[in-house]
Amino acid sequence: MPEQRVTFHILYTPDEGGYNALEPVTGTTSWGSDLAEAKAMISEALELYLAEVSREDAEEIAARQAGSWSGDVDVTVSAA
């Protein structure tokens, strides 16, 4: 399969001492002590993930990413 560049939308969440990184389509997660490290680590994790899936699965993931978008939604949370 020829190389293909895919843009992933990553959710970075600060925690004690660093940042968690989550790519929700594949469920890939990683962590870094700062935002730059978190970005590098999630990139590496995604490359490793995609190296292990089949060509068909990788193409499906790329197609889902190409057709996705991101946005915000407001949710009301009530105490139980």
Side-chain angles (χ1 to χ4, degrees):
M1 176 170 119
E3 285 190 10
Q4 178 180 0
R5 293 200 58 78
V6 178
T7 300
F8 287 92
H9 299 281
I10 309 299
L11 175 63
Y12 296 98
T13 308
D15 74 356
E16 293 181 22
Y19 288 86
N20 292 307
L22 166 66
E23 193 291 304
V25 173
T26 64
T28 304
T29 62
S30 194
W31 183 88
S33 59
D34 58 32
L35 205 48
E37 183 180 22
K39 184 176 181 179
M41 297 303 288
I42 194 68
S43 295
E44 181 179 339
L46 284 164
E47 287 174 1
L48 291 170
Y49 173 87
L50 292 172
E52 294 298 318
V53 298
S54 70
R55 176 182 175 180
E56 292 79 20
D57 288 344
E59 289 173 350
E60 181 182 334
I61 291 166
R64 279 189 275 157
Q65 281 301 112
S68 68
W69 66 93
S70 62
D72 297 326
V73 62
D74 293 323
V75 177
T76 301
V77 179
S78 302

